[in-house]
């Protein structure tokens, strides 16, 4: 290392220190500016994510980190003595005197001294303004901007946080009283076909009660929905269905037998539609009629239907028809007893009651029966002991006079008379009369299950589920439009066609026969599809070309063919279009 | 021993006197005179290229007169022989009674101190090589005997760029021996007026002697002492490297128009010439500006153009100027800080 002149050393070091300090400050400021911007950005991100408390610390931390990094980088980029000398030579226009003086050869002491003296003179006479370094850059404006921005963001109120979506299945639902469950719980009082059947209905009721209790406490939504769906499925399974392979032939035979009689055609329709409530009501109305011909025909048709079901092995249907036949006889007697009592109490009955008596005899109306029974009970209550006795005697005379033309049997008359003679018997008679218009256990059961099914759908809606239509009755549709979402029988949805050949193993062939619709329905030739179609029919003057047609689809086709003639279709295509609409 | 500063100051003074003396005779060629002095001080040889009548011979003669150096002129012609340059041994008879036969060396014009090799490109390569050998070795060999040429030995060769027919252009390897190749330009109008006034009037007085042999040798020695800082040396190396197309630092123009760049001798010549510049300015160190100033005369005859360069008529001067303009002198951060300071 050459021995430099002290004076040159002093001057050079002084300028070098100043230059390095300014460069260091510039580097640190640049880093601070960048850090302020980044810190403001981090604070903004934290503000957005709701981390309010951390914002100012994040800004300070990022800024501090940037300062440290900038200081380290600036220190690493510190100019060497040669760099400083080159800068001084360039700014002072010394023709590299300082640089040469700095690296003067040691073996040439004279030369070195001469160079350093010259450099010394140059540095001593240098004007400071010529050696200024631009340490403030446009980038440094980002420092106050970033600090201001970061500070503002740090005190900014946090945005309203959107509630995080709950994970599926984590949501708890609470219902104090979920609508629909009460109708399922009512299954506890529904009559069962057997003890086991009643037990199952009570079990369903208990499940609904348990679901209600759990919902009060709070239950996971998915679980609640699943339990409600299972309840509906269980209810549907309990409903009597005769659409399967085993029962279908029996149904056809029973419907055919009932449909053959004029009086029982409505009952046949109801049975064909699977509406046991309507079937029961029809049979009850027939049993109520005074006209023996209707009752005899109904009884005979019922027997024939029962036999047909038995012959075709439809056990469930046969059991139902057997119960219905027993009930028919019972209802006959009850209705006759009511009419008999009403006849004897005609003076005590009002005008409405007398009209109901007539109606009951004529049509077997259940409403008339209810009203008449009520009126007879009231009339019986108002009888004095002597009048009651007199009535009992009158019934006894009827018994002893024979039963010609009397719908009641001798046992029934005797029973009726004995009941009238005692208070307890009267109360029992009144109770019996009250129960006259009650449906059969089968119908009651079905009605309760239908109500429960509707209740289940309502409960599902209350839990946020769109209820899936319950499996429809086979054949000619449900006929019961109360259940939401239920569709008429869809028909056989067996697919046609198979997979494309030539996939060479890439795609397995699809066999259409394997595709089955959920509702395996069949069209009954004798029972028209309860639907409506919109088609064209022959236009008559004064009418529109479109008519709302109902009935079989086959009928619609004929109208469509005729409509082709009147439609605006080119002559060349009429034949083809007409063929398309041929039934 | 005098201090360096005194010697430097003295040298600067002497050079200024020499320049003034030569410029008083050779009008309008101040830059040429300056560059010739670079060659003289740096201890190299100079190739002058210019049209006839521009004062090349006058310059050399005047320089020789001012330096009180032995001047010799060699007019190169196609029939010039090497012995015409170097000299030869001549059989001499002496003594009346019994004549004595001996060989006597008749020295050729190469034994001068300032040798003007006029139209060197007219002589045959064999003859050229005799001169070039002497330039390199500072000695000649005649009949097996080596004769050292007296220092300072300074050759100024001229080339006539007009008459190229029947000439033998110097090969590039031989051109490399000249420290500088100076282009002598025609004087402008004002300079021509001065020339006319001076040369068509009364005969001028002969230029006076300014420097002697010792002074020239002292100048050369002092020139070698001039300091070159590392960054300046680095710049010289970068500049020469950038003239070679195979180097990474070569500019696109160099890659396109240059076949061979300047070599080591060119870098040496660049630094020596820059030292001479510094000495003439009375500085004890070489500056970046010195290198930039000497780049053209030092490198123009050392760069061989490619076919594309010749086809596109890209001169070596243009290539060197582009190199000097594009090459960074200082490190990037220092340059940036200097520019930011304004």
């Amino acid at each position: 290392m050459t021995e430099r002149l002290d004076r040159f050393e002093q001057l050079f070091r002084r300028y070098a220190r100043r230059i390095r300090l300014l460069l260091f400050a510039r580097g640190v400021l640049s880093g601070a500016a960048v850090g302020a911007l980044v810190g403001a950005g981090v604070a903004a991100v934290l503000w957005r994510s709701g981390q309010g408390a951390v914002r100012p610390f994040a800004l300070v931390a990022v800024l501090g980190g940037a300062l440290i990094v900038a200081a380290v980088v600036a220190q690493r980029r510190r100019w060497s003595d040669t760099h400083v000398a080159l800068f001084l030579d360039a700014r002072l226009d010394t023709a590299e005197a300082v640089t040469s003086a700095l690296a003067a050869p040691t073996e040439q002491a004279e030369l070195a001294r001469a160079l350093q003296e010259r450099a010394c003179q140059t540095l001593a006479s240098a004007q400071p303004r010529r050696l200024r370094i631009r340490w403030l850059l446009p980038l440094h404006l980002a420092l106050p901007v970033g600090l201001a921005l970061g500070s503002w963001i740090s005190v900014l109120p946090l945005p309203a946080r959107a509630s995080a979506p709950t994970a599926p299945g984590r949501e708890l639902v609470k219902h104090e009283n979920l609508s629909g469950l009460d109708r399922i719980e009512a299954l506890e009082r529904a009559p069962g076909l057997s003890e086991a059947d009643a037990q199952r209905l009570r079990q369903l009721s208990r499940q609904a009660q348990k679901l209600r209790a759990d919902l009060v406490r709070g239950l996971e939504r998915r679980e609640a929905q699943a339990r409600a769906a299972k309840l509906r499925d269980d209810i549907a399974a309990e409903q009597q269905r005769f659409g399967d392979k085993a029962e279908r032939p029996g149904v056809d035979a029973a419907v055919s037998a009932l449909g053959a009689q004029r009086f029982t055609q409505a009952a046949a329709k109801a049975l064909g539609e699977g509406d046991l409530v309507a079937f029961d009501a029809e049979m009850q109305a027939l049993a109520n009629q005074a006209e023996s011909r209707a009752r005899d025909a109904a009884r005979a048709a019922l027997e024939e239907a029962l036999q047909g079901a038995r012959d075709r092995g439809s056990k469930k249907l046969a059991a139902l028809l057997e119960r219905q036949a027993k009930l028919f006889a019972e209802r006959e007697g009850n209705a006759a007893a009511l009419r008999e009592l009403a006849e004897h109490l005609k003076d005590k009955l009002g005008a409405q009651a007398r009209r109901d008596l007539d109606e009951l005899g004529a049509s077997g109306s259940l409403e008339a029966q209810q009203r008449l029974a009520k009126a007879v009970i009231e009339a019986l209550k108002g009888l004095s002991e002597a009048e009651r006795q007199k009535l009992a005697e009158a019934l006894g005379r009827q018994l002893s006079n024979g039963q010609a033309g009397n719908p009641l049997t001798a046992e029934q008359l005797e029973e009726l008379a004995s009941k009238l003679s005692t208070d307890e018997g009267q109360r029992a008679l009144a109770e019996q009369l009250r129960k006259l218009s009650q449906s059969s256990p089968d119908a009651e059961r079905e009605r309760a299950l239908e109500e429960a099914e509707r209740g289940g759908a309502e409960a599902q809606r209350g839990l946020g589920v769109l209820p899936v239509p319950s499996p429809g009755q086979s054949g000619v549709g449900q006929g019961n439009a109360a259940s939401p979402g239920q569709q008429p029988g869809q028909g056989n949805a067996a697919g046609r066609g198979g997979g494309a050949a030539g996939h060479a193993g890439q795609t397995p062939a699809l066999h259409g026969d394997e595709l089955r619709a959920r509702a395996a329905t069949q069209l009954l030739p004798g029972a028209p599809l309860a639907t409506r179609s919109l088609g064209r029919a022959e236009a008559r003057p004064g009418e529109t070309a479109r008519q709302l047609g109902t009935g079989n689809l086959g009928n619609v086709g004929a109208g469509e063919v005729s409509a082709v003639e009147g439609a605006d279709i080119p002559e060349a295509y009429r034949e083809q279009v007409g063929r398309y609409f041929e039934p | 021993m005098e201090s360096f500063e005194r010697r430097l100051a003295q040298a600067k003074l002497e050079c200024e006197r020499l320049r003034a003396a030569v410029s008083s005779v050779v009008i309008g060629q101040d830059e040429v005179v300056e560059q010739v002095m670079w060659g003289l001080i740096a201890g190299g040889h100079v190739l002058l290229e210019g049209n006839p009548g521009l004062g090349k011979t006058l310059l050399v003669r005047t320089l020789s007169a001012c330096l009180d150096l032995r001047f010799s002129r060699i007019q190169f012609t196609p029939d010039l022989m090497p012995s015409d340059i170097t000299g030869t041994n001549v059989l001499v008879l002496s003594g009346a009674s019994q004549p004595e036969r001996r060989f006597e060396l008749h020295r050729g014009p190469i034994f001068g101190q300032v040798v003007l090799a006029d139209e060197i490109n007219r002589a045959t390569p064999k003859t050229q090589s005799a001169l070039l050998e002497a330039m390199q070795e500072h000695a000649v060999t005649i009949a097996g005997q080596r004769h050292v040429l007296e220092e300072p030995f300074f050759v100024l060769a001229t080339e006539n760029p007009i008459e190229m027919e029947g000439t033998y252009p110097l090969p590039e390897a031989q051109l490399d021996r000249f420290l500088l190749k100076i282009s002598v330009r025609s004087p402008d109008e004002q300079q021509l007026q001065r020339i006319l006034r001076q040369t068509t009037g009364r005969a001028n007085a002969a230029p006076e002697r300014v420097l002697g042999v010792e002074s020239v040798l002292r100048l050369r020695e002092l020139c070698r002492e001039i300091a070159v800082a590392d960054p300046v040396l680095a710049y010289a190396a970068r500049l020469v490297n950038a003239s070679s197309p195979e180097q990474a630092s070569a500019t696109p123009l160099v890659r396109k128009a240059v076949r061979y760049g300047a070599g080591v001798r060119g870098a040496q010549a660049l630094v020596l010439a820059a030292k001479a510049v510094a000495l003439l300015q009375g500085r004890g160190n070489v500056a970046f500006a010195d290198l930039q100033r000497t780049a053209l005369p030092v490198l123009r005859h050392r760069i061989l153009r490619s076919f594309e360069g010749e086809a596109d008529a890209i001169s070596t001067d243009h290539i060197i100027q582009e190199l000097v303009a594009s090459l960074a002198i200082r490190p990037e951060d220092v340059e940036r800080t200097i520019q930011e300071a304004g």
Side-chain angles (χ1 to χ4, degrees):
Chain A
M1 189 79 173
T2 183
E3 292 178 5
R4 297 181 194 158
L5 288 175
D6 291 342
R7 180 80 178 125
F8 168 72
E9 186 74 19
Q10 270 180 2
L11 283 169
F12 180 77
R13 287 294 156 218
R14 190 175 77 192
Y15 284 116
R17 195 165 39 247
R18 184 169 174 271
I19 288 168
R20 286 181 180 132
L21 190 65
L22 288 172
L23 289 172
F24 183 82
R26 184 171 76 176
V28 170
L29 270 178
S30 298
V34 172
L37 280 180
V38 172
V42 170
V45 168
L46 289 173
W47 172 79
R48 193 71 183 91
S49 64
Q51 308 290 331
V54 195
R55 285 174 291 171
F57 300 106
L59 173 65
V60 170
V62 171
L63 183 62
L67 279 170
I68 293 170
V69 169
V72 169
V73 171
Q75 182 61 25
R76 292 192 66 176
R77 290 184 178 176
R78 180 178 176 271
W79 277 7
S80 62
D81 287 347
T82 305
H83 281 51
V84 173
L86 286 171
F87 175 79
L88 290 170
D89 285 329
R91 294 299 299 164
L92 299 175
D93 201 16
T94 62
E96 281 64 64
V98 179
T99 308
S100 301
L102 205 63
T106 54
E107 61 276 11
Q108 292 174 273
E110 254 190 72
L111 172 63
R113 192 170 56 248
L115 293 173
Q116 285 162 11
E117 277 178 2
R118 179 161 168 260
C120 202
Q121 288 171 11
T122 307
L123 289 175
S125 62
Q127 295 176 356
R129 67 177 178 85
R130 290 191 60 83
L131 296 176
R132 64 171 174 237
I133 287 180
R134 192 181 172 192
W135 57 279
L136 210 56
L137 303 174
L139 170 66
H140 299 160
L141 281 175
L143 177 59
V145 170
L147 283 175
L149 195 62
S151 303
W152 174 65
I153 292 174
S154 296
V155 298
L156 205 59
L158 293 175
R161 293 183 67 177
S163 57
T166 51
R170 294 275 181 103
E171 186 185 354
L172 277 181
V173 291
K174 275 188 178 179
H175 279 278
E176 286 300 323
N177 185 16
L178 182 63
S179 173
L181 285 180
D182 55 335
R183 282 181 266 178
I184 304 176
E185 291 165 356
L187 284 175
E188 190 177 19
R189 297 180 293 277
L193 299 177
S194 63
E195 184 51 37
D197 184 59
Q199 180 66 24
R200 287 198 299 274
L201 295 178
R202 286 194 291 273
Q203 179 64 22
L204 286 173
S205 172
R206 281 196 291 274
Q207 286 176 1
Q209 290 167 16
K210 189 166 185 314
L211 178 60
R212 178 191 293 279
D214 290 343
L215 284 171
V216 169
R217 282 192 297 274
L219 188 63
E220 203 177 6
R221 183 179 287 277
R222 277 191 170 177
E223 185 184 341
Q225 290 169 349
R227 285 168 63 173
K230 186 168 184 316
L231 266 176
R232 273 192 80 198
D233 289 342
D234 292 342
I235 292 167
E238 290 300 328
Q239 286 177 307
Q240 291 195 71
R241 303 270 185 258
F242 303 106
D244 55 358
K245 264 178 156 177
E247 300 295 328
R248 170 54 51 196
V251 170
D252 295 340
V255 170
S256 179
L258 290 169
Q261 291 288 346
R262 177 170 61 90
F263 297 105
T264 53
Q265 279 185 351
K269 181 173 182 293
L271 183 63
E273 291 174 355
D275 189 350
L276 298 182
V277 174
F279 173 68
D280 180 69
E282 287 295 329
M283 296 309 296
Q284 185 174 3
L286 285 167
N288 286 347
Q289 288 184 19
E291 177 71 47
S292 62
R293 200 158 52 119
R295 285 186 277 114
D296 293 339
R299 195 184 309 112
L302 198 53
E303 287 295 329
E304 196 180 334
L306 172 59
Q307 191 58 45
R310 280 185 184 143
D311 292 343
R312 281 160 184 76
S314 302
K315 292 181 183 171
K316 269 183 12 182
L317 181 62
L320 170 77
L321 291 174
E322 193 172 341
R323 288 194 294 271
Q324 189 62 235
K326 284 183 188 168
L327 194 58
F328 189 84
E330 214 176 292
R331 280 171 171 167
E332 263 187 305
N334 288 339
L338 178 61
R339 282 197 303 276
E340 193 68 31
L341 277 173
E343 284 291 342
H344 284 289
L345 292 171
K346 222 170 186 176
D347 296 337
K348 302 285 182 186
L349 297 177
Q352 178 63 44
R354 285 197 281 274
R355 284 196 295 273
D356 289 335
L357 174 62
D358 294 335
E359 194 180 339
L360 179 64
S363 67
S365 162
L366 299 183
E367 290 81 15
Q369 186 180 33
Q370 278 178 344
R371 287 193 298 270
L372 183 60
K374 202 171 172 184
V376 165
I377 291 169
E378 287 305 314
L380 281 173
K381 276 186 191 171
L383 284 180
S384 63
E385 185 59 33
E387 286 172 331
R388 204 176 299 122
Q389 199 63 36
K390 194 176 168 186
L391 177 61
E393 286 169 5
L395 288 172
R397 274 197 303 278
Q398 201 171 342
L399 178 63
S400 61
N401 290 339
Q403 297 172 25
N406 197 323
L408 289 175
T409 62
E411 291 77 13
Q412 286 171 333
L413 276 172
E414 191 176 351
E415 187 186 353
L416 193 60
S418 66
K419 280 182 180 172
L420 280 172
S421 59
T422 61
D423 289 335
E424 193 180 333
Q426 287 171 25
R427 280 195 292 275
L429 178 61
E431 190 58 32
Q432 191 178 346
L433 289 174
R434 223 176 271 119
K435 291 181 183 176
L436 275 182
S437 58
Q438 279 186 352
S439 306
S440 67
D442 284 286
E444 281 298 319
R445 184 179 178 279
E446 282 307 306
R447 186 178 291 116
L449 284 171
E450 283 168 9
E451 276 298 311
E453 202 278 335
R454 282 195 289 275
E458 194 173 332
Q460 280 189 301
R461 275 197 297 277
L463 292 172
V465 176
L466 189 65
V468 175
S470 59
Q473 268 293 25
S474 61
V476 293
Q478 281 289 83
N480 185 354
S483 299
Q486 283 185 339
Q487 304 290 337
Q490 297 284 343
N492 197 336
R496 286 186 291 278
H503 277 212
Q506 293 177 2
T507 305
L510 294 175
H511 301 290
D513 292 340
E514 295 174 1
L515 293 177
R516 294 281 177 219
R518 189 180 179 197
T521 60
Q522 289 179 350
L523 288 175
L524 294 180
L529 188 65
T531 181
R532 67 179 190 182
S533 62
L534 188 64
R536 291 183 179 173
E538 288 185 10
R540 290 194 288 272
E543 291 181 353
T544 61
R546 279 189 171 191
Q547 288 186 2
L548 187 66
T550 57
N552 279 336
L553 286 174
N555 292 334
V556 174
E560 288 290 334
V561 174
S562 302
V564 170
E565 300 304 320
D568 190 17
I569 298 170
E571 185 67 34
Y573 299 110
R574 283 192 181 179
E575 186 185 348
Q576 284 176 317
V577 175
R579 205 178 303 132
Y580 176 74
F581 287 107
E582 277 180 358
Chain B
M1 185 177 175
E2 280 183 311
S3 68
F4 182 81
E5 295 95 325
R6 282 181 65 86
R7 288 190 289 137
L8 198 59
Q10 180 70 25
K12 181 182 175 187
L13 201 62
E14 289 173 349
C15 290
E16 282 176 1
R17 283 169 53 197
L18 177 63
R19 181 175 26 229
V22 172
S23 296
S24 66
V25 176
V26 181
I27 300 171
Q29 301 292 349
D30 293 341
E31 187 62 26
V32 174
V33 170
E34 173 100 11
Q35 291 178 10
V36 167
M37 288 180 65
W38 295 349
L40 175 68
I41 295 169
H45 308 288
V46 174
L47 178 63
L48 294 168
E49 184 181 75
N51 294 335
L54 293 181
K56 295 188 293 296
T57 308
L58 178 62
L59 167 62
V60 179
R61 282 186 178 277
T62 307
L63 182 66
S64 172
C66 292
L67 292 175
D68 194 26
L69 296 176
R70 202 162 53 253
F71 173 75
S72 61
R73 180 182 176 182
I74 309 172
Q75 182 63 50
F76 281 69
T77 56
D79 58 347
L80 195 68
M81 300 297 289
S83 57
D84 295 333
I85 296 174
T86 60
T88 187
N89 284 327
V90 176
L91 185 62
V92 172
L93 291 174
S94 62
S97 55
Q98 285 186 335
E100 191 179 320
R101 295 187 183 89
R102 59 183 173 86
F103 280 100
E104 190 175 278
L105 176 63
H106 281 204
R107 295 183 173 196
I110 197 69
F111 283 90
Q113 285 175 305
V114 178
V115 176
L116 172 61
D118 221 348
E119 295 185 285
I120 189 174
N121 55 334
R122 290 186 68 192
T124 61
K126 185 177 176 181
T127 307
Q128 290 171 358
S129 65
L131 174 65
L132 294 169
E133 184 190 350
M135 285 166 58
Q136 181 67 24
E137 304 290 333
H138 286 217
V140 294
T141 304
I142 303 170
Q145 194 172 4
R146 193 165 186 268
H147 302 272
V148 178
L149 301 173
E150 189 180 350
E151 295 292 342
F153 177 61
F154 184 42
V155 174
L156 291 99
T158 66
E159 271 189 339
N160 185 350
I162 298 176
E163 294 167 351
M164 288 309 216
E165 282 193 19
T167 63
Y168 301 90
L170 283 172
E172 289 74 20
Q174 303 301 330
L175 279 173
D176 207 25
R177 296 182 197 282
F178 290 93
L179 186 76
L180 305 164
K181 179 179 178 183
I182 303 170
S183 292
V184 183
R185 311 280 181 213
S186 300
D188 59 23
E189 190 175 322
Q190 280 185 339
Q191 290 165 347
L192 186 58
Q193 282 182 8
R194 285 180 55 198
I195 292 171
L196 292 173
R197 187 175 296 113
Q198 184 159 314
T199 57
T200 58
R202 286 169 56 184
N204 295 324
E208 60 180 23
R209 175 178 172 277
V210 176
L211 295 175
V213 172
E214 296 79 19
S215 300
V216 173
L217 292 174
R218 211 168 38 243
L219 283 174
R220 286 186 173 183
E221 192 182 325
L222 187 61
C223 179
R224 290 264 169 179
E225 289 180 33
I226 299 295
V228 184
D230 287 342
V232 180
L233 268 182
Y235 176 66
R238 265 202 322 277
L239 197 59
V240 169
N241 256 4
S243 68
S244 298
E246 66 269 13
Q247 295 292 336
S249 56
T251 63
L253 181 63
V254 166
R255 289 204 178 92
K256 175 188 169 186
V258 173
R259 188 176 169 192
Y260 293 114
V264 177
R265 205 173 281 161
Q268 294 168 333
L270 190 64
V271 173
L272 283 173
K275 285 189 173 186
V277 171
L279 188 146
L280 285 174
Q281 293 182 1
R283 272 188 283 111
N285 64 281
V286 174
F288 294 118
D290 300 338
L291 291 170
Q292 291 176 331
R293 197 174 163 203
T294 57
L296 210 51
V298 167
L299 299 178
R300 64 159 54 104
H301 57 291
R302 300 176 201 273
I303 293 177
L304 183 64
R305 290 180 299 173
S306 63
F307 173 78
E308 204 169 341
E310 288 183 13
D312 292 345
I314 301 173
S315 65
T316 52
D317 283 12
H318 175 67
I319 295 169
I320 295 165
Q321 284 163 353
E322 190 259 355
L323 258 180
V324 170
S326 63
L327 207 62
I329 297 173
R330 301 172 192 84
E332 190 183 332
D333 52 347
V334 178
E335 285 286 0
R336 190 171 56 244
T337 307
I338 293 167
Q339 285 169 14
E340 286 170 359

